[in-house]
Amino acid sequence: MPTLYLSHTDCEKHVMLEQHPESPARLRAIQRELDQNHWNNLLERRQASEIDDACFAGIHPRQYLDMLAELKPGEGIARIDADTSVNKHSLRAARLAAGSGLQAVEAVIAGHFNNAFCAVRPPGHHAEAAIGMGFCIFNSIALAAERALSLGAERIAILDFDVHHGNGTVDIFMERPEVLVCSSFQFPFYPGRHDQVDRPNICLTPLSEGTASGEFRQAIERDWLPALAAHRPDIILVSAGFDAHREDPLAGLLLSDSDYLWLGEIIREQANRFSNGRLVSMLEGGYNTEALARSVAQYLTGSA
Ligand SMILES: [Zn+2]
C-alpha cells in the first residue's frame, strides 16, 4: 500500500521575515527530493484542504481564532510573537496544514491507507490552546488527534521527535489521559515551557546538547516503547521534526540521516504491533533544507 502524501503549494505562500529559517524553501527541497522517479509508486500524492471551523472545537478556543482573524494583515506581516508572524496568506496555509492532518487521520481510520505523511507548513507543536508561538499557529497534530477521537479511536499516541519540546501538545492534552504524548527534545532549550510536567500520559525525554545517534536511540527505546506498550494506542500520530539533525542550524543534537530511517522503522513496528498499522506523521521543524529533504526521505522509507 502506498503512503498517502498530503501537501499544498499554498503552504509556500506563508512567508515571515526575510531570512526566517521556517521558509517556503523547506517544502520545495522536500518536493525536489521526492520528485525522483522511484518515489512515484511509493506515494499517493493528494492536495491538502482547509480545516473546517467546527474542527477547532476542543483544541483552540473561539477567542484565539478571533484574535488571529483580526491580526490578518493586508500587506506586510503582523507579529504573533518575537519569532512568529503572519502575512496575508498565512492563515490559509495554517488551515491547510491543520486540514491535512484531519484528511490523513480520516483516510487511515477508514482503512484506505496505513501510512500518511503531511508535508505542510507552518508547523504546529508549539501552539498551545490559546497561544501561537515558535513558528506555530494551529496545533495541527492535536487537531488530528481530536479528529481521531471523534471518529471512534479511544486511545491516541503522539510521538514528537522534533529537537524542540512539543509544549503546545502537552498544554492541550496533559489533563486528557486518553492521549499519550511522548516528546524527545534538547534540554535546556527553547521553548522552556511544559518541559517538566509530571502526568502519567506525558512521557518526556530531555536530551543534552551534543547527544548523538547511540544515546538518542537508547533513550527512545527506554522511554517510548514501554509507554506505548502500556497505552496500546488505536492510532499513532507523529510530530515529525527533523531539526535534531547534526547539520541543522538551530539546535545542537547530532542525529544523522540514518537515525530518521531508524525512527521510521521503529515507529512503523509499534504501529503494526498496537494500532493495526495506523500511522500519521506531520512535518514540524527542520531548517537545513538539504538535510531536511534527505531525512524526510529516510523517514518515509522507514515508516512505509
Ligand atoms: Zn523544532
PDB file of all heavy atoms in Angstrom, residues 18 47 57 63 83 100 125 133 137 144 189 228 240 246 256-257 259 268 270-271 291 293:
ATOM      1  N   GLU A  18      12.223  38.237   6.133  1.00  0.00           N
ATOM      2  CA  GLU A  18      13.324  37.831   5.252  1.00  0.00           C
ATOM      3  C   GLU A  18      14.281  36.942   6.043  1.00  0.00           C
ATOM      4  O   GLU A  18      14.538  37.221   7.215  1.00  0.00           O
ATOM      5  CB  GLU A  18      14.115  39.080   4.816  1.00  0.00           C
ATOM      6  CG  GLU A  18      13.518  39.868   3.664  1.00  0.00           C
ATOM      7  CD  GLU A  18      13.435  39.075   2.373  1.00  0.00           C
ATOM      8  OE1 GLU A  18      14.486  38.603   1.914  1.00  0.00           O
ATOM      9  OE2 GLU A  18      12.305  38.927   1.853  1.00  0.00           O
ATOM     10  N   GLN A  47      -3.789  16.743  -2.650  1.00  0.00           N
ATOM     11  CA  GLN A  47      -3.771  18.107  -2.131  1.00  0.00           C
ATOM     12  C   GLN A  47      -4.441  18.177  -0.773  1.00  0.00           C
ATOM     13  O   GLN A  47      -5.508  17.602  -0.566  1.00  0.00           O
ATOM     14  CB  GLN A  47      -4.542  19.018  -3.086  1.00  0.00           C
ATOM     15  CG  GLN A  47      -3.675  19.551  -4.194  1.00  0.00           C
ATOM     16  CD  GLN A  47      -4.186  20.874  -4.721  1.00  0.00           C
ATOM     17  OE1 GLN A  47      -5.355  21.204  -4.563  1.00  0.00           O
ATOM     18  NE2 GLN A  47      -3.318  21.635  -5.344  1.00  0.00           N
ATOM     19  N   ALA A  57     -12.940  22.913  17.636  1.00  0.00           N
ATOM     20  CA  ALA A  57     -13.580  22.744  18.948  1.00  0.00           C
ATOM     21  C   ALA A  57     -12.798  21.752  19.795  1.00  0.00           C
ATOM     22  O   ALA A  57     -12.374  20.708  19.325  1.00  0.00           O
ATOM     23  CB  ALA A  57     -15.011  22.269  18.763  1.00  0.00           C
ATOM     24  N   GLN A  63     -11.930  32.651  21.087  1.00  0.00           N
ATOM     25  CA  GLN A  63     -11.243  33.951  21.236  1.00  0.00           C
ATOM     26  C   GLN A  63      -9.893  33.939  20.516  1.00  0.00           C
ATOM     27  O   GLN A  63      -9.469  34.955  19.971  1.00  0.00           O
ATOM     28  CB  GLN A  63     -10.990  34.296  22.724  1.00  0.00           C
ATOM     29  CG  GLN A  63     -12.219  34.338  23.591  1.00  0.00           C
ATOM     30  CD  GLN A  63     -12.511  32.966  24.202  1.00  0.00           C
ATOM     31  OE1 GLN A  63     -12.799  32.008  23.485  1.00  0.00           O
ATOM     32  NE2 GLN A  63     -12.442  32.868  25.517  1.00  0.00           N
ATOM     33  N   ASP A  83       9.196  35.527  17.192  1.00  0.00           N
ATOM     34  CA  ASP A  83       9.690  34.810  16.007  1.00  0.00           C
ATOM     35  C   ASP A  83       8.578  34.170  15.174  1.00  0.00           C
ATOM     36  O   ASP A  83       8.832  33.285  14.367  1.00  0.00           O
ATOM     37  CB  ASP A  83      10.766  33.782  16.389  1.00  0.00           C
ATOM     38  CG  ASP A  83      10.369  32.907  17.555  1.00  0.00           C
ATOM     39  OD1 ASP A  83       9.169  32.723  17.772  1.00  0.00           O
ATOM     40  OD2 ASP A  83      11.266  32.422  18.255  1.00  0.00           O
ATOM     41  N   SER A 100      -4.798  19.023   6.548  1.00  0.00           N
ATOM     42  CA  SER A 100      -4.132  17.821   6.026  1.00  0.00           C
ATOM     43  C   SER A 100      -4.082  16.718   7.082  1.00  0.00           C
ATOM     44  O   SER A 100      -4.222  15.527   6.766  1.00  0.00           O
ATOM     45  CB  SER A 100      -2.711  18.168   5.542  1.00  0.00           C
ATOM     46  OG  SER A 100      -1.832  18.413   6.630  1.00  0.00           O
ATOM     47  N   HIS A 125       3.480  22.174  16.666  1.00  0.00           N
ATOM     48  CA  HIS A 125       3.539  21.597  18.016  1.00  0.00           C
ATOM     49  C   HIS A 125       3.833  22.573  19.147  1.00  0.00           C
ATOM     50  O   HIS A 125       3.650  22.232  20.304  1.00  0.00           O
ATOM     51  CB  HIS A 125       4.506  20.400  18.060  1.00  0.00           C
ATOM     52  CG  HIS A 125       5.948  20.766  17.960  1.00  0.00           C
ATOM     53  ND1 HIS A 125       6.945  19.991  18.514  1.00  0.00           N
ATOM     54  CD2 HIS A 125       6.579  21.822  17.368  1.00  0.00           C
ATOM     55  CE1 HIS A 125       8.121  20.544  18.269  1.00  0.00           C
ATOM     56  NE2 HIS A 125       7.937  21.640  17.572  1.00  0.00           N
ATOM     57  N   MET A 133       2.987  30.419  18.914  1.00  0.00           N
ATOM     58  CA  MET A 133       4.390  30.750  19.229  1.00  0.00           C
ATOM     59  C   MET A 133       5.319  29.809  18.470  1.00  0.00           C
ATOM     60  O   MET A 133       4.892  28.781  17.940  1.00  0.00           O
ATOM     61  CB  MET A 133       4.655  30.629  20.740  1.00  0.00           C
ATOM     62  CG  MET A 133       4.376  29.239  21.307  1.00  0.00           C
ATOM     63  SD  MET A 133       4.683  29.122  23.092  1.00  0.00           S
ATOM     64  CE  MET A 133       6.468  29.061  23.105  1.00  0.00           C
ATOM     65  N   ILE A 137       1.052  28.250  14.498  1.00  0.00           N
ATOM     66  CA  ILE A 137      -0.205  28.992  14.628  1.00  0.00           C
ATOM     67  C   ILE A 137      -1.308  28.078  15.169  1.00  0.00           C
ATOM     68  O   ILE A 137      -1.898  28.343  16.216  1.00  0.00           O
ATOM     69  CB  ILE A 137      -0.591  29.614  13.269  1.00  0.00           C
ATOM     70  CG1 ILE A 137       0.501  30.608  12.829  1.00  0.00           C
ATOM     71  CG2 ILE A 137      -1.956  30.313  13.362  1.00  0.00           C
ATOM     72  CD1 ILE A 137       0.338  31.154  11.426  1.00  0.00           C
ATOM     73  N   ALA A 144      -5.503  16.791  14.759  1.00  0.00           N
ATOM     74  CA  ALA A 144      -5.609  15.459  14.152  1.00  0.00           C
ATOM     75  C   ALA A 144      -5.997  14.427  15.207  1.00  0.00           C
ATOM     76  O   ALA A 144      -6.813  13.529  14.953  1.00  0.00           O
ATOM     77  CB  ALA A 144      -4.280  15.085  13.486  1.00  0.00           C
ATOM     78  N   PHE A 189      16.457  24.180  26.597  1.00  0.00           N
ATOM     79  CA  PHE A 189      16.406  24.755  25.260  1.00  0.00           C
ATOM     80  C   PHE A 189      15.040  25.402  25.040  1.00  0.00           C
ATOM     81  O   PHE A 189      14.144  25.243  25.865  1.00  0.00           O
ATOM     82  CB  PHE A 189      16.646  23.625  24.232  1.00  0.00           C
ATOM     83  CG  PHE A 189      17.134  24.088  22.875  1.00  0.00           C
ATOM     84  CD1 PHE A 189      18.153  25.021  22.758  1.00  0.00           C
ATOM     85  CD2 PHE A 189      16.576  23.570  21.719  1.00  0.00           C
ATOM     86  CE1 PHE A 189      18.600  25.441  21.515  1.00  0.00           C
ATOM     87  CE2 PHE A 189      17.010  23.978  20.467  1.00  0.00           C
ATOM     88  CZ  PHE A 189      18.027  24.910  20.370  1.00  0.00           C
ATOM     89  N   LEU A 228       4.285   3.153  25.074  1.00  0.00           N
ATOM     90  CA  LEU A 228       3.367   2.694  24.018  1.00  0.00           C
ATOM     91  C   LEU A 228       2.755   1.347  24.377  1.00  0.00           C
ATOM     92  O   LEU A 228       1.551   1.125  24.164  1.00  0.00           O
ATOM     93  CB  LEU A 228       4.109   2.606  22.680  1.00  0.00           C
ATOM     94  CG  LEU A 228       4.409   3.956  22.021  1.00  0.00           C
ATOM     95  CD1 LEU A 228       5.440   3.791  20.908  1.00  0.00           C
ATOM     96  CD2 LEU A 228       3.127   4.587  21.467  1.00  0.00           C
ATOM     97  N   ALA A 240       6.694  15.088  13.316  1.00  0.00           N
ATOM     98  CA  ALA A 240       7.963  14.714  12.690  1.00  0.00           C
ATOM     99  C   ALA A 240       8.762  15.985  12.375  1.00  0.00           C
ATOM    100  O   ALA A 240       8.581  16.615  11.332  1.00  0.00           O
ATOM    101  CB  ALA A 240       7.701  13.903  11.417  1.00  0.00           C
ATOM    102  N   ARG A 246      22.352  16.746  12.794  1.00  0.00           N
ATOM    103  CA  ARG A 246      23.619  17.421  13.107  1.00  0.00           C
ATOM    104  C   ARG A 246      23.882  18.627  12.206  1.00  0.00           C
ATOM    105  O   ARG A 246      24.649  19.520  12.573  1.00  0.00           O
ATOM    106  CB  ARG A 246      24.796  16.444  13.042  1.00  0.00           C
ATOM    107  CG  ARG A 246      24.972  15.766  11.688  1.00  0.00           C
ATOM    108  CD  ARG A 246      26.251  14.914  11.662  1.00  0.00           C
ATOM    109  NE  ARG A 246      26.190  13.832  12.649  1.00  0.00           N
ATOM    110  CZ  ARG A 246      27.108  13.622  13.605  1.00  0.00           C
ATOM    111  NH1 ARG A 246      28.163  14.399  13.691  1.00  0.00           N
ATOM    112  NH2 ARG A 246      26.985  12.617  14.439  1.00  0.00           N
ATOM    113  N   SER A 256      21.919  11.837  12.434  1.00  0.00           N
ATOM    114  CA  SER A 256      22.263  11.828  11.009  1.00  0.00           C
ATOM    115  C   SER A 256      21.092  11.229  10.223  1.00  0.00           C
ATOM    116  O   SER A 256      20.110  10.767  10.807  1.00  0.00           O
ATOM    117  CB  SER A 256      23.549  11.041  10.784  1.00  0.00           C
ATOM    118  OG  SER A 256      23.418   9.775  11.371  1.00  0.00           O
ATOM    119  N   ASP A 257      21.218  11.233   8.906  1.00  0.00           N
ATOM    120  CA  ASP A 257      20.124  10.771   8.042  1.00  0.00           C
ATOM    121  C   ASP A 257      19.600   9.407   8.493  1.00  0.00           C
ATOM    122  O   ASP A 257      18.396   9.162   8.540  1.00  0.00           O
ATOM    123  CB  ASP A 257      20.589  10.637   6.589  1.00  0.00           C
ATOM    124  CG  ASP A 257      21.012  11.963   5.972  1.00  0.00           C
ATOM    125  OD1 ASP A 257      21.134  12.964   6.710  1.00  0.00           O
ATOM    126  OD2 ASP A 257      21.229  11.990   4.740  1.00  0.00           O
ATOM    127  N   ASP A 259      19.422   7.987  11.298  1.00  0.00           N
ATOM    128  CA  ASP A 259      18.588   7.963  12.501  1.00  0.00           C
ATOM    129  C   ASP A 259      17.115   8.178  12.157  1.00  0.00           C
ATOM    130  O   ASP A 259      16.229   7.702  12.866  1.00  0.00           O
ATOM    131  CB  ASP A 259      19.064   9.014  13.503  1.00  0.00           C
ATOM    132  CG  ASP A 259      20.414   8.648  14.095  1.00  0.00           C
ATOM    133  OD1 ASP A 259      20.560   7.503  14.557  1.00  0.00           O
ATOM    134  OD2 ASP A 259      21.331   9.492  14.061  1.00  0.00           O
ATOM    135  N   ARG A 268       7.011   2.463  12.810  1.00  0.00           N
ATOM    136  CA  ARG A 268       6.187   1.542  11.991  1.00  0.00           C
ATOM    137  C   ARG A 268       5.937   0.227  12.735  1.00  0.00           C
ATOM    138  O   ARG A 268       4.819  -0.303  12.760  1.00  0.00           O
ATOM    139  CB  ARG A 268       6.873   1.315  10.640  1.00  0.00           C
ATOM    140  CG  ARG A 268       6.395   0.147   9.784  1.00  0.00           C
ATOM    141  CD  ARG A 268       4.898   0.090   9.565  1.00  0.00           C
ATOM    142  NE  ARG A 268       4.322   1.296   8.974  1.00  0.00           N
ATOM    143  CZ  ARG A 268       3.023   1.619   9.090  1.00  0.00           C
ATOM    144  NH1 ARG A 268       2.182   0.840   9.751  1.00  0.00           N
ATOM    145  NH2 ARG A 268       2.563   2.719   8.537  1.00  0.00           N
ATOM    146  N   GLN A 270       5.878  -0.262  15.945  1.00  0.00           N
ATOM    147  CA  GLN A 270       4.930  -0.036  17.049  1.00  0.00           C
ATOM    148  C   GLN A 270       3.507   0.122  16.523  1.00  0.00           C
ATOM    149  O   GLN A 270       2.552  -0.369  17.121  1.00  0.00           O
ATOM    150  CB  GLN A 270       5.331   1.223  17.840  1.00  0.00           C
ATOM    151  CG  GLN A 270       6.721   1.167  18.448  1.00  0.00           C
ATOM    152  CD  GLN A 270       6.893  -0.008  19.387  1.00  0.00           C
ATOM    153  OE1 GLN A 270       6.128  -0.186  20.328  1.00  0.00           O
ATOM    154  NE2 GLN A 270       7.874  -0.852  19.122  1.00  0.00           N
ATOM    155  N   ALA A 271       3.362   0.816  15.388  1.00  0.00           N
ATOM    156  CA  ALA A 271       2.022   0.986  14.800  1.00  0.00           C
ATOM    157  C   ALA A 271       1.461  -0.370  14.395  1.00  0.00           C
ATOM    158  O   ALA A 271       0.274  -0.652  14.583  1.00  0.00           O
ATOM    159  CB  ALA A 271       2.092   1.929  13.599  1.00  0.00           C
ATOM    160  N   ALA A 291      19.458  18.751   4.444  1.00  0.00           N
ATOM    161  CA  ALA A 291      19.375  17.684   5.461  1.00  0.00           C
ATOM    162  C   ALA A 291      17.915  17.321   5.716  1.00  0.00           C
ATOM    163  O   ALA A 291      17.579  16.145   5.903  1.00  0.00           O
ATOM    164  CB  ALA A 291      20.055  18.142   6.754  1.00  0.00           C
ATOM    165  N   ALA A 293      15.367  17.487   3.575  1.00  0.00           N
ATOM    166  CA  ALA A 293      14.825  16.709   2.460  1.00  0.00           C
ATOM    167  C   ALA A 293      15.321  15.259   2.514  1.00  0.00           C
ATOM    168  O   ALA A 293      14.539  14.317   2.355  1.00  0.00           O
ATOM    169  CB  ALA A 293      15.226  17.366   1.136  1.00  0.00           C
TER     170      ALA A 293
END
